[in-house]
Amino acid sequence: MAWIAYLSALVAIGIFVRSLIARREDSKLSHIPLVKFDENDTQERYITSTRDILHQGYLKYGKHGQAFRMRNPVDGGHSQVIMAKSYLDEVKNASESRLSFPLYSIQSFLLKYSRSVLPSPIAAHVTRIDLNKNLGELVAPMREECIDTFKTVIPECKDWAPLKLWDVFLPMISRMTGRMLVGEELCRNPEWIQLTIANTQGIMKSSMGIRALYSSRWQWLAPWTYPGRKDLVTLRRRAAELIEPVYMQRLAAFRGGTQHKYRDAVQWIIENSPEKPLSPAEVADALLFLYMAGIHSTSATIVSIVYDLIAHPEYVPALLDEIRHTLAESPEWSRQSLAKLRKLDSFMKESQRLNPVGCVTVQRSTVRPYTFADGLHLPANTFLSFPTYEFTHDAETYPNPDEFDGLRFHRMREEGDATKFHFATVSNDSTNFGAGFHACPGRFFVAHELKIILTELLMKFELVFAEGTRRPPDHCHDFTIMPNMQAEVRVREKQSFGI
């Protein structure tokens, strides 16, 4: 049993070293102001009242150009610094070898410990380049999936019927996103749809489960001892089995020079790796990573927008009028005609401004010690992020910031630069989609996706809240903000367009 004693000694040494490193790194942040609760300063409160402590730090420090630190609500093993807006340009321009979003994702969601898919360079490339280049050709297929999914998830309802929006839009977003990722046949496969949804849920479940069972010093043992360590591996293996026939057929056609011109990520992956094709497992992982990055956040966004449509019915006539006018000029939706829906675009952006899917964005982890131009120094493996929720609720940037103004950004575009202030815009005042090189590369696709859904919804259905007239409150948990998934609305088919 000498090996057991040897292993025990190694574990003890590892824990001791990690402890020393953690203490040393924390001490290196002592020059940054610490924000904490005056009373009941417990870990649980940082999880349930994250927006409160962020607001406190923003008013005291961030608004005045100073970074501050606070306890990480979900990861005690990583120090965390909340940056002032004045640092945004420097973070955007920093190389990934110094300030890394992929490293942040791996560390924050414990991707290696849960044996999840990892950030994929080729997945990022096909989204940033191929997807955006082919957006115009994807509008019709996306609308096809949208219409077909509505028929599936909303039964015939000539009179008012109950409905949970999350149950409608999660499978719809999976299908519409899947049409762009895996093509027409597989995107409609019920098992594939459920698998793509379960992957993201499994990653969240595993990261929370590992943190619940292991302190940060012990998490490295999770790949061998965590009870759910095989869950994501099994899911990834099944994804590879489902994608293999599609991928191999496409690859054979590509090599033979007889391929049909598909417009989806499977085809783009093949075209971007002609000399050394990926294995079906690698392709499946890249696709699962793209699903993980998109479907839940987009589903949350569309649910929030529809809640706001129901809560503010006074905007519906103007939005329908804009849709009618645009369709009169161009009966089929296209990239150009969707761009003409400026009032709808403004409504979407205002909803996102007030109800984002997270309190912070532009997250990075320091790959090695980093010193900003003003001398602010962060040790390696420090999490940094920007308080987007505070930026978008600051009266100096957005007058009456707590008031829903569905045409706010429409007026800003008319009064200023018409190319700015649209839904997919990123700027130092609008960081919901991130910033810099790692700004969400799929945000233009998402804007098209949401407009297609909303136009179909507005033209064909009436919606009211099942109880009362007030918007269901969002659910906040650490840095995450999600719309109410359980609230019921009532839906009824329109008898004619626009009525």
Side-chain angles (χ1 to χ4, degrees), residues 350-362:
E350 178 72 348
S351 178
Q352 185 193 50
R353 181 188 72 81
L354 277 170
N355 304 285
V357 295
C359 297
V360 297
T361 57
V362 198

Side-chain angles (χ1 to χ4, degrees), residues 303-339:
V303 169
S304 283
I305 293 170
V306 176
Y307 280 157
D308 285 325
L309 279 171
I310 301 173
H312 302 280
E314 66 273 18
Y315 289 99
V316 172
L319 297 179
L320 279 169
D321 213 40
E322 182 179 61
I323 294 169
R324 284 195 201 96
H325 181 75
T326 305
L327 287 175
E329 293 181 346
S330 175
E332 297 295 331
W333 289 121
S334 65
R335 187 173 187 176
Q336 291 73 28
S337 60
L338 287 174

Side-chain angles (χ1 to χ4, degrees), residues 160 247 274 279 309 333 394 419 487 498:
W160 292 108
Y247 176 65
S279 68
L309 279 171
W333 289 121
D394 192 322
T419 64

